[in-house]
Amino acid sequence: NAGVTQTPKFQVLKTGQSMTLQCAQDMNHNSMYWYRQDPGMGLRLIYYSASEGTTDKGEVPNGYNVSRLNKREFSLRLESAAPSQTSVYFCASSEDHLNYGYTFGSGTRLTVV
Amino acid sequence: KQEVTQIPAALSVPEGENLVLNCSFTDSAIYNLQWFRQDPGKGLTSLLLIQSSQREQTSGRLNASLDKSSGRSTLYIAASQPGDSATYLCASSGGYQKVTFGTGTKLQVIP
């Protein structure tokens, strides 16, 4: 099925470890996004990529880096994980979010101990 | 800064009832408003998107309305079913960095 695929689905890290969350979409969308979802706080934008080759910070970028590898793939890296980064991470894509809105992946549940 | 509020945080209704979920926003300068459904442990599924120039959108038993002047959107669900049980989120878009999500209304439809 067409859509947004995220890996892994679950991950437990120790404080200070690093990891990369992968995201790929097969809808030929131009824009891709990384959000985190925390209880009582809604979804908050970490980074986005309006088009291949560009990335920009969102509301909560500290502690994260991203790479727009090609049009399909947008990865999120935690260089030195902290307990405050325990969250559910969602990747989303859109052809043109002003007119067509977002398509979301199923999420990665990350726990940092 | 845009603030999006969804009240109530939780709602329980008997099967078959028609219901309305509310979404309010503080800045009316939006491009669109989108409604999503989220099942436990799952991602967000887009339900309806209303452009700023539109008043409403319909899909099956769902109808979403938008009143920019009052900063409100509603999602109407007709003849609710147990399968409608989920958390419903709204999100307003004012640009790439200006998409603001509400915290959602958790709906339970009781058989």
Side-chain angles (χ1 to χ4, degrees):
Chain A
N1 293 331
V4 178
T5 302
Q6 291 184 235
T7 56
K9 293 187 182 302
F10 301 94
Q11 184 72 49
V12 178
L13 289 179
K14 293 182 179 179
T15 298
Q17 287 185 320
S18 62
M19 79 161 295
T20 299
L21 281 64
Q22 306 287 352
C23 175
Q25 52 92 8
D26 58 6
M27 297 169 286
N28 203 37
H29 285 172
N30 288 315
S31 303
M32 298 185 74
Y33 312 83
W34 277 105
Y35 283 89
R36 59 179 288 173
Q37 185 177 36
D38 301 290
M41 300 191 72
L43 279 84
R44 292 180 292 169
L45 182 64
I46 305 171
Y47 271 93
Y48 69 97
S49 172
S51 61
E52 185 179 358
T54 68
T55 60
D56 285 286
K57 296 178 180 179
E59 181 183 357
V60 288
N62 291 344
Y64 306 95
N65 286 300
V66 291
S67 296
R68 183 74 183 266
L69 305 171
N70 47 56
K71 192 171 186 179
R72 292 185 61 249
E73 299 173 287
F74 188 38
S75 63
L76 178 71
R77 183 162 179 84
L78 287 70
E79 292 290 352
S80 179
S84 61
Q85 295 178 304
T86 293
S87 186
V88 182
Y89 291 86
F90 288 102
C91 178
S93 70
S94 66
E95 168 60 31
D96 165 10
H97 86 282
L98 299 182
N99 295 303
Y100 298 101
Y102 290 164
T103 300
F104 277 82
S106 58
T108 295
R109 186 172 297 272
L110 175 67
T111 302
V112 183
V113 298
Chain B
K1 180 182 177 183
Q2 177 76 286
E3 294 183 5
V4 177
T5 304
Q6 294 185 248
I7 296 174
L11 181 63
S12 183
V13 300
E15 181 178 3
E17 196 163 288
N18 301 326
L19 60 100
V20 174
L21 304 181
N22 297 300
C23 172
S24 61
F25 46 94
T26 55
D27 185 351
S28 62
I30 63 173
Y31 290 105
N32 62 54
L33 189 133
Q34 192 166 8
W35 282 93
F36 295 89
R37 168 186 173 138
Q38 185 174 26
D39 293 286
K42 304 291 186 182
L44 281 69
T45 300
S46 178
L47 297 174
L48 290 165
L49 181 145
I50 314 173
Q51 301 293 352
S52 62
S53 58
Q54 298 173 321
R55 296 284 292 183
E56 63 179 80
Q57 283 284 332
T58 298
S59 176
R61 294 183 294 108
L62 305 180
N63 176 278
S65 67
L66 175 64
D67 184 343
K68 284 178 56 179
S69 62
S70 66
R72 292 188 60 189
S73 177
T74 61
L75 179 67
Y76 174 83
I77 302 176
S80 59
Q81 303 171 357
D84 294 329
S85 297
T87 297
Y88 291 81
L89 296 97
C90 64
S92 70
S93 175
Y96 283 112
Q97 291 197 56
K98 298 179 181 178
V99 177
T100 305
F101 285 81
T103 53
T105 294
K106 186 175 183 179
L107 173 66
Q108 181 182 24
V109 180
I110 303 169

PDB file of all heavy atoms in Angstrom, chain A residues 41-54:
ATOM      1  N   MET A  41       0.438  17.500  25.074  1.00  0.00           N
ATOM      2  CA  MET A  41       1.129  18.599  24.388  1.00  0.00           C
ATOM      3  C   MET A  41       0.863  18.616  22.891  1.00  0.00           C
ATOM      4  O   MET A  41       1.351  19.474  22.187  1.00  0.00           O
ATOM      5  CB  MET A  41       2.634  18.511  24.634  1.00  0.00           C
ATOM      6  CG  MET A  41       2.997  18.601  26.099  1.00  0.00           C
ATOM      7  SD  MET A  41       4.759  18.804  26.343  1.00  0.00           S
ATOM      8  CE  MET A  41       4.978  20.496  25.789  1.00  0.00           C
ATOM      9  N   GLY A  42       0.105  17.668  22.392  1.00  0.00           N
ATOM     10  CA  GLY A  42      -0.145  17.648  20.963  1.00  0.00           C
ATOM     11  C   GLY A  42       1.107  17.289  20.187  1.00  0.00           C
ATOM     12  O   GLY A  42       2.141  16.920  20.744  1.00  0.00           O
ATOM     13  N   LEU A  43       1.040  17.402  18.901  1.00  0.00           N
ATOM     14  CA  LEU A  43       2.187  17.141  18.036  1.00  0.00           C
ATOM     15  C   LEU A  43       2.991  18.421  17.859  1.00  0.00           C
ATOM     16  O   LEU A  43       2.426  19.488  17.623  1.00  0.00           O
ATOM     17  CB  LEU A  43       1.734  16.643  16.660  1.00  0.00           C
ATOM     18  CG  LEU A  43       1.374  15.171  16.576  1.00  0.00           C
ATOM     19  CD1 LEU A  43      -0.057  14.963  17.014  1.00  0.00           C
ATOM     20  CD2 LEU A  43       1.580  14.644  15.167  1.00  0.00           C
ATOM     21  N   ARG A  44       4.304  18.277  17.946  1.00  0.00           N
ATOM     22  CA  ARG A  44       5.178  19.428  17.769  1.00  0.00           C
ATOM     23  C   ARG A  44       6.186  19.125  16.657  1.00  0.00           C
ATOM     24  O   ARG A  44       6.771  18.047  16.625  1.00  0.00           O
ATOM     25  CB  ARG A  44       5.897  19.762  19.087  1.00  0.00           C
ATOM     26  CG  ARG A  44       4.970  20.278  20.161  1.00  0.00           C
ATOM     27  CD  ARG A  44       5.737  20.585  21.434  1.00  0.00           C
ATOM     28  NE  ARG A  44       6.251  19.369  22.065  1.00  0.00           N
ATOM     29  CZ  ARG A  44       7.132  19.358  23.057  1.00  0.00           C
ATOM     30  NH1 ARG A  44       7.597  20.515  23.530  1.00  0.00           N
ATOM     31  NH2 ARG A  44       7.536  18.218  23.568  1.00  0.00           N
ATOM     32  N   LEU A  45       6.393  20.112  15.795  1.00  0.00           N
ATOM     33  CA  LEU A  45       7.259  19.943  14.642  1.00  0.00           C
ATOM     34  C   LEU A  45       8.725  20.031  15.059  1.00  0.00           C
ATOM     35  O   LEU A  45       9.148  20.990  15.695  1.00  0.00           O
ATOM     36  CB  LEU A  45       6.944  21.026  13.603  1.00  0.00           C
ATOM     37  CG  LEU A  45       7.731  20.987  12.304  1.00  0.00           C
ATOM     38  CD1 LEU A  45       7.429  19.703  11.525  1.00  0.00           C
ATOM     39  CD2 LEU A  45       7.411  22.214  11.454  1.00  0.00           C
ATOM     40  N   ILE A  46       9.508  19.023  14.668  1.00  0.00           N
ATOM     41  CA  ILE A  46      10.935  18.994  14.986  1.00  0.00           C
ATOM     42  C   ILE A  46      11.736  19.617  13.830  1.00  0.00           C
ATOM     43  O   ILE A  46      12.472  20.581  14.023  1.00  0.00           O
ATOM     44  CB  ILE A  46      11.417  17.560  15.231  1.00  0.00           C
ATOM     45  CG1 ILE A  46      10.573  16.878  16.315  1.00  0.00           C
ATOM     46  CG2 ILE A  46      12.894  17.546  15.641  1.00  0.00           C
ATOM     47  CD1 ILE A  46      10.846  15.387  16.454  1.00  0.00           C
ATOM     48  N   TYR A  47      11.592  19.044  12.658  1.00  0.00           N
ATOM     49  CA  TYR A  47      12.225  19.529  11.437  1.00  0.00           C
ATOM     50  C   TYR A  47      11.297  19.250  10.265  1.00  0.00           C
ATOM     51  O   TYR A  47      10.449  18.374  10.340  1.00  0.00           O
ATOM     52  CB  TYR A  47      13.548  18.791  11.165  1.00  0.00           C
ATOM     53  CG  TYR A  47      14.787  19.385  11.785  1.00  0.00           C
ATOM     54  CD1 TYR A  47      15.216  18.946  13.038  1.00  0.00           C
ATOM     55  CD2 TYR A  47      15.533  20.348  11.123  1.00  0.00           C
ATOM     56  CE1 TYR A  47      16.366  19.478  13.617  1.00  0.00           C
ATOM     57  CE2 TYR A  47      16.693  20.885  11.696  1.00  0.00           C
ATOM     58  CZ  TYR A  47      17.092  20.444  12.935  1.00  0.00           C
ATOM     59  OH  TYR A  47      18.236  20.967  13.505  1.00  0.00           O
ATOM     60  N   TYR A  48      11.501  20.005   9.204  1.00  0.00           N
ATOM     61  CA  TYR A  48      10.775  19.703   7.981  1.00  0.00           C
ATOM     62  C   TYR A  48      11.695  19.929   6.779  1.00  0.00           C
ATOM     63  O   TYR A  48      12.725  20.593   6.878  1.00  0.00           O
ATOM     64  CB  TYR A  48       9.499  20.537   7.870  1.00  0.00           C
ATOM     65  CG  TYR A  48       9.714  22.015   7.632  1.00  0.00           C
ATOM     66  CD1 TYR A  48       9.653  22.555   6.353  1.00  0.00           C
ATOM     67  CD2 TYR A  48       9.944  22.881   8.700  1.00  0.00           C
ATOM     68  CE1 TYR A  48       9.842  23.906   6.135  1.00  0.00           C
ATOM     69  CE2 TYR A  48      10.132  24.230   8.488  1.00  0.00           C
ATOM     70  CZ  TYR A  48      10.069  24.742   7.212  1.00  0.00           C
ATOM     71  OH  TYR A  48      10.248  26.082   6.996  1.00  0.00           O
ATOM     72  N   SER A  49      11.261  19.353   5.660  1.00  0.00           N
ATOM     73  CA  SER A  49      11.970  19.509   4.404  1.00  0.00           C
ATOM     74  C   SER A  49      10.940  19.870   3.348  1.00  0.00           C
ATOM     75  O   SER A  49      10.116  19.043   2.977  1.00  0.00           O
ATOM     76  CB  SER A  49      12.680  18.202   4.029  1.00  0.00           C
ATOM     77  OG  SER A  49      13.206  18.277   2.729  1.00  0.00           O
ATOM     78  N   ALA A  50      10.960  21.106   2.919  1.00  0.00           N
ATOM     79  CA  ALA A  50       9.960  21.565   1.958  1.00  0.00           C
ATOM     80  C   ALA A  50      10.158  20.918   0.588  1.00  0.00           C
ATOM     81  O   ALA A  50       9.187  20.743  -0.161  1.00  0.00           O
ATOM     82  CB  ALA A  50      10.008  23.087   1.833  1.00  0.00           C
ATOM     83  N   SER A  51      11.393  20.581   0.255  1.00  0.00           N
ATOM     84  CA  SER A  51      11.679  19.917  -1.015  1.00  0.00           C
ATOM     85  C   SER A  51      13.024  19.213  -0.888  1.00  0.00           C
ATOM     86  O   SER A  51      13.787  19.458   0.062  1.00  0.00           O
ATOM     87  CB  SER A  51      11.717  20.926  -2.158  1.00  0.00           C
ATOM     88  OG  SER A  51      12.732  21.878  -1.942  1.00  0.00           O
ATOM     89  N   GLU A  52      13.303  18.345  -1.842  1.00  0.00           N
ATOM     90  CA  GLU A  52      14.568  17.613  -1.827  1.00  0.00           C
ATOM     91  C   GLU A  52      15.726  18.604  -1.790  1.00  0.00           C
ATOM     92  O   GLU A  52      15.760  19.567  -2.536  1.00  0.00           O
ATOM     93  CB  GLU A  52      14.659  16.740  -3.082  1.00  0.00           C
ATOM     94  CG  GLU A  52      15.868  15.859  -3.127  1.00  0.00           C
ATOM     95  CD  GLU A  52      15.885  15.000  -4.377  1.00  0.00           C
ATOM     96  OE1 GLU A  52      14.918  15.082  -5.173  1.00  0.00           O
ATOM     97  OE2 GLU A  52      16.851  14.249  -4.571  1.00  0.00           O
ATOM     98  N   GLY A  53      16.657  18.365  -0.852  1.00  0.00           N
ATOM     99  CA  GLY A  53      17.830  19.218  -0.754  1.00  0.00           C
ATOM    100  C   GLY A  53      17.713  20.333   0.252  1.00  0.00           C
ATOM    101  O   GLY A  53      18.676  21.065   0.499  1.00  0.00           O
ATOM    102  N   THR A  54      16.543  20.500   0.859  1.00  0.00           N
ATOM    103  CA  THR A  54      16.366  21.566   1.855  1.00  0.00           C
ATOM    104  C   THR A  54      15.815  20.994   3.152  1.00  0.00           C
ATOM    105  O   THR A  54      14.997  20.066   3.139  1.00  0.00           O
ATOM    106  CB  THR A  54      15.399  22.653   1.368  1.00  0.00           C
ATOM    107  OG1 THR A  54      14.082  22.110   1.298  1.00  0.00           O
ATOM    108  CG2 THR A  54      15.794  23.180   0.004  1.00  0.00           C
TER     109      THR A  54
END
